[in-house]
Amino acid sequence: MTINHHPSDATLLRHAAGTLGAGPAVVIAAHLEGCESCRRRISEFESVGGAILEGMPLEPLKTDALARVLERLDLPPSSPRSGSLVTRHHRLVGLELPPSLHHCEIGPWRWLGPGFRWSKVSIPGSSDAKVMLLKGRAGLKLPAHGHGGTEFLQVLSGSLFDERGRYHPGDLDEADIDVDHQPVVGPDSECICLVALEGDTRLHSALGRLLWPFVGF
Ligand SMILES: [Zn+2]
């Protein structure tokens, strides 16, 4: 799998420092699972972070600060429920979801427009996270939209393209407030994406306005 689209360094740093919201964090974790080059980048940040920590007086720091940052990079611990949840997710979504989603609740597919469906992803303990799976049929044109905050989109199956490029499984698109686009699903098969929205999408983005009556985001 060749991955051509990656999170920005700023996002990887926020992920490494544990300051990314729970929603974007599961999308970035899903990307990291399949992207060796981003995992290497995170390791570089950790080395720099470690060097900074070493140069600082230990007193004001909690001794486990670095351990806690590193902990956030790990995958959620597997539990006895993991196996059955993975099977249930597979049945609901029709494909195996990234391990970063194994502890999440996945809702049923709901209608969003002709050939367009969404499913709510609930992260335990983070009820305000705006995360969903989107599924579009082959060739579907999504509504043109801008962004009130950053939209993190990881392609899980199929493909998607817009004015800026083509996105295949493993690619991550980070679209911020400067991006206006109209994504189109590739012609060969349906496309399933994992999406997290940051910021007040309800007020400012067309995608947010479209989703809000259905999703409550
Ligand atoms: Zn990457």
Side-chain angles (χ1 to χ4, degrees), residues 45-210:
F45 293 148
E46 282 168 18
S47 323
V48 174
I52 292 170
L53 287 177
E54 272 170 28
M56 288 170 86
L58 268 180
E59 182 96 70
L61 278 174
K62 292 231 168 79
T63 48
D64 62 344
L66 184 60
R68 279 183 292 119
V69 168
L70 296 177
E71 212 170 79
R72 288 189 63 110
L73 299 174
D74 289 339
L75 302 178
S78 49
S79 69
R81 291 181 65 215
S82 292
S84 59
L85 267 178
V86 171
T87 311
R88 194 166 158 259
H89 289 166
H90 196 292
R91 208 171 52 233
L92 273 170
V93 183
L95 55 86
E96 188 163 328
L97 293 177
S100 73
L101 293 181
H102 285 181
H103 67 307
C104 299
E105 280 296 327
I106 308 294
W109 287 115
R110 292 170 199 269
W111 188 88
L112 196 55
F116 194 20
R117 285 170 190 272
W118 75 281
S119 153
K120 186 176 171 71
V121 175
S122 304
I123 304 173
S126 303
S127 56
D128 57 345
K130 301 164 182 171
V131 188
M132 72 198 107
L133 295 166
L134 290 178
K135 176 161 78 171
R137 67 156 185 250
L140 177 78
K141 258 191 182 180
L142 276 78
H145 63 280
H147 304 86
T150 304
E151 177 188 292
F152 300 89
L153 180 152
Q154 171 84 3
V155 179
L156 302 181
S157 74
S159 69
L160 205 63
F161 61 93
D162 68 7
E163 304 81 351
R164 298 165 307 141
R166 282 187 173 271
Y167 303 85
H168 294 100
D171 281 331
L172 182 127
D173 180 33
E174 191 175 320
D176 63 17
I177 52 173
D178 296 327
V179 174
D180 282 300
H181 65 161
Q182 178 166 29
V184 179
V185 176
D188 298 328
S189 62
E190 69 173 19
C191 178
I192 298 179
C193 299
L194 171 66
V195 180
L197 305 172
E198 199 176 48
D200 197 344
T201 47
R202 181 182 56 185
L203 291 179
H204 299 292
S205 97
L207 183 61
R209 280 200 298 276
L210 173 75

Side-chain angles (χ1 to χ4, degrees), residues 3 5-7 31 35 37-38:
I3 300 176
H5 300 274
H6 306 270
H31 179 80
C35 184
S37 92
C38 283

